[in-house]
Amino acid sequence: MSDQPRIDSGSRSIRIGVLADGVFKVVLAAAYAAFSAPLSNALDVPGWIIQATAILVAGSGIAEIVASRHPERRQVIMLAVYDSAWVVASGVAVLAASRGVGGSGSAWFLFQAIASIILAALFLMRRERP
């Protein structure tokens, strides 16, 4: 017998989903870091904001990867809220930029940075077990 506790299929799905989302965030952060100069020019965003966002998004992804070892339903809810907010923030930034509002790109990256800090903290805070 293995010392590992058995994981039901629901927990396995949560684990895989959280792990996949964490890996995606790490890859996205690497892309932000690798392409920060062209992103900075194209979106008129200071490079340091993109670099800081890359670090914080990577940290959030790593927190998700770590947390995926202990799958919880609340993780799915947190990811749904984060991803929904990301879609809304992205839409608002695109709309604002299309109307000539300055700083839209910076606001979009700053949203991701702040949301990533919050998400990482929530993922690393394990709920008390009864």
Side-chain angles (χ1 to χ4, degrees):
M1 294 284 292
S2 171
D3 288 343
Q4 293 280 49
R6 293 193 61 113
I7 298 174
D8 63 37
S9 62
S11 294
R12 186 170 320 199
S13 295
I14 292 170
R15 175 180 282 175
I16 291 168
V18 171
L19 179 63
D21 196 84
V23 169
F24 175 80
K25 280 187 177 72
V26 170
V27 170
L28 179 64
Y32 284 168
F35 299 106
S36 64
L39 284 169
S40 177
N41 292 332
L43 301 174
D44 195 28
V45 177
W48 71 267
I49 290 177
I50 297 171
Q51 291 291 329
T53 299
I55 291 166
L56 295 170
V57 169
S60 179
I62 291 167
E64 288 178 37
I65 291 167
V66 169
S68 72
R69 289 188 261 162
H70 305 285
E72 297 178 16
R73 245 172 119 44
R74 72 184 187 98
Q75 294 167 338
V76 174
I77 295 166
M78 290 188 297
L79 290 177
V81 169
Y82 174 91
D83 290 343
S84 297
W86 187 87
V87 168
V88 170
S90 298
V92 169
V94 167
L95 182 62
S98 71
R99 295 182 180 236
V101 177
S104 301
S106 293
W108 184 66
F109 276 99
L110 290 170
F111 162 80
Q112 290 177 77
I114 293 165
S116 292
I117 292 169
I118 294 167
L119 187 66
L122 291 171
F123 263 87
L124 293 176
M125 293 180 349
R126 297 253 342 255
R127 288 193 347 198
E128 288 294 318
R129 301 285 179 186

